[in-house]
């Protein structure tokens, strides 16, 4: 009897573990859906590997999709429906972010669900727009999508490690590349070397003619008998005070009855 109860308990425990694992996983592991055929096979494979690794590591979906047209829908509605109908998202809130690019409209849309709404604020999505829109305009699609993946991971890590998203008052700053950091280091080294050289040069005692007459004036013989201050002009520097938007994420209702955040841009 005791053995039977033990087996039942183990069986129930396994069921709970399996059910938890199922809710934690996204239903769709295809993170790149290139319906507009903007990427070659090699680029699609590398991007798929990059986004899948990010999604599985952080349990937050990161998806890139392209389409020839939104078929009469707004980019927001088309992207929201695509994300939900294709089974994207982790957990009960289907956590994740998707970048949809539509070629006919020359528009792209970020859609966020669940935890990703809190991670990717309105400020954050606008910042991502600023950083990928130029590549999209230039037709450098793989570069734009790879950049999106990198940014998505940085935003997620910031939220997980710091407990707050990039937002108004906590702005995102791009990390310098290794090449830029190397150039800065070399520049600093050259400046320090120049300063040391000038100090040593200044310590050299050489005889040189005086170019000014004050060295030949007897001390105390020069007196100012009359002095006054004359006001010539003043300068007023005016700067526009930027309004604080308050930060956070705006949301809207989706056709499936859920709630999503998002941002639409052009290229």
């Amino acid at each position: 009897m005791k053995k039977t109860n033990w087996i039942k308990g183990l069986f129930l425990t396994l069921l709970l573990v399996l059910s938890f694992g199922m809710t934690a996983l996204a239903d769709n592991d295809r993170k790149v859906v290139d319906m507009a055929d903007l990427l070659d096979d090699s680029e699609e494979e590398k991007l798929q590997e990059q986004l899948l690794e990010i999604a599985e590591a952080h349990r937050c979906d990161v998806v890139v999709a392209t389409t020839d047209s939104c078929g009469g829908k707004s980019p927001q509605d088309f992207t929201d429906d695509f994300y939900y109908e294709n089974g994207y998202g982790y957990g009960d809130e289907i956590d994740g972010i998707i970048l949809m690019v539509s070629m006919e409209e020359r528009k792209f849309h970020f859609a966020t669900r669940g935890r990703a709404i809190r991670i990717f604020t309105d400020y954050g999505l606008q910042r991502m727009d600023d950083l990928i829109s130029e590549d999209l305009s230039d037709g450098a699609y793989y570069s734009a999508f790879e950049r999106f993946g990198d940014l998505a991971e940085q935003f997620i890590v910031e939220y997980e490690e710091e407990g707050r998203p990039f937002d108004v008052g906590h702005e995102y700053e791009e990390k310098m590349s290794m090449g830029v950091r190397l150039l800065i280091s070399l520049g600093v080294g050259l400046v320090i070397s120049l300063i040391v050289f000038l100090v040593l040069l200044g310590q050299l005692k050489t005889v040189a003619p005086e170019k000014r007459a004050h060295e030949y004036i007897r001390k105390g013989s020069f007196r100012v008998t009359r002095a006054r201050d004359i006001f010539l002009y003043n300068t007023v520097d005016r700067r526009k005070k930027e309004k604080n938007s308050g930060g956070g994420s705006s949301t809207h209702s989706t056709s499936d009855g859920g709630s999503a955040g998002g941002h639409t841009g052009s290229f």
Side-chain angles (χ1 to χ4, degrees):
M1 185 68 177
K2 290 182 179 180
K3 185 176 181 181
T4 304
N5 290 336
W6 181 83
I7 293 173
K8 287 182 178 179
L10 179 62
F11 180 71
L12 289 173
T13 300
L14 288 173
L15 282 178
L16 288 172
V17 171
L18 288 173
S19 63
F20 174 78
M22 290 177 66
T23 57
L25 295 175
D27 292 335
N28 194 335
D29 62 359
R30 187 183 177 192
K31 308 307 180 188
V32 183
V33 185
D34 186 21
M35 297 178 286
D37 199 24
L38 304 182
L39 304 172
D40 61 34
D41 292 342
S42 175
E43 291 172 335
E44 187 171 337
E45 184 179 343
K46 287 188 292 185
L47 187 62
Q48 164 69 20
E49 184 178 345
Q50 176 193 8
L51 301 185
L52 181 61
E53 183 177 338
I54 296 169
E56 291 184 340
H58 301 283
R59 292 295 183 263
C60 183
D61 235 336
V62 181
V63 183
V64 167
T66 71
T67 182
D68 292 319
S69 170
C70 290
K73 292 184 179 180
S74 69
Q76 173 181 288
D77 291 342
F78 183 86
T79 308
D80 288 342
D81 292 345
F82 180 88
Y83 184 91
Y84 182 77
E85 291 169 2
N86 285 278
Y88 288 109
Y90 282 77
D92 295 335
E93 292 186 290
I94 56 174
D95 305 338
I97 181 172
I98 180 173
L99 166 61
M100 175 68 72
V101 173
S102 179
M103 298 305 294
E104 181 178 295
E105 293 83 0
R106 302 296 291 180
K107 299 277 189 181
F108 61 91
H109 185 77
F110 301 110
T112 56
R113 297 290 293 258
R115 184 165 60 102
I117 296 175
R118 300 184 289 277
I119 295 172
F120 301 93
T121 63
D122 293 344
Y123 161 84
L125 294 177
Q126 179 60 61
R127 192 75 178 97
M128 295 176 81
D129 177 329
D130 296 337
L131 294 170
I132 72 167
S133 56
E134 185 175 348
D135 279 342
L136 290 175
S137 297
D138 293 341
Y141 300 114
Y142 176 74
S143 178
F145 298 153
E146 182 185 38
R147 187 77 177 279
F148 163 71
D150 290 338
L151 290 168
E153 184 171 30
Q154 291 177 46
F155 279 49
I156 294 170
V157 169
E158 182 70 14
Y159 184 82
E160 291 177 342
E161 294 184 353
E162 299 297 327
R164 59 175 178 166
F166 287 117
D167 202 352
V168 175
H170 181 51
E171 299 181 355
Y172 169 76
E173 295 182 4
E174 290 187 88
K175 296 180 180 179
M176 290 186 292
S177 66
M178 183 63 70
V180 173
R181 281 183 283 180
L182 181 60
L183 288 174
I184 291 175
S185 298
L186 289 173
V188 171
L190 288 173
V191 170
I192 293 174
S193 299
L194 180 60
I195 292 173
V196 172
F197 171 75
L198 292 175
V199 170
L200 294 175
L201 184 64
Q203 292 176 352
L204 295 176
K205 295 181 180 180
T206 58
V207 178
E210 286 291 338
K211 296 181 181 180
R212 295 178 295 179
H214 73 274
E215 291 294 331
Y216 305 99
I217 298 175
R218 182 183 301 173
K219 293 183 180 179
S221 64
F222 178 76
R223 296 180 182 179
V224 177
T225 59
R226 187 178 180 184
R228 60 176 175 165
D229 294 326
I230 301 175
F231 179 78
L232 297 177
Y233 59 87
N234 69 334
T235 301
V236 178
D237 185 13
R238 301 180 184 275
R239 294 183 181 181
K240 182 180 178 181
K241 185 177 181 181
E242 298 294 335
K243 294 182 179 179
N244 190 324
S245 65
S249 301
S250 56
T251 60
H252 57 271
S253 298
T254 58
S255 61
D256 59 275
S259 180
H263 169 86
T264 301
S266 303
F267 65 98

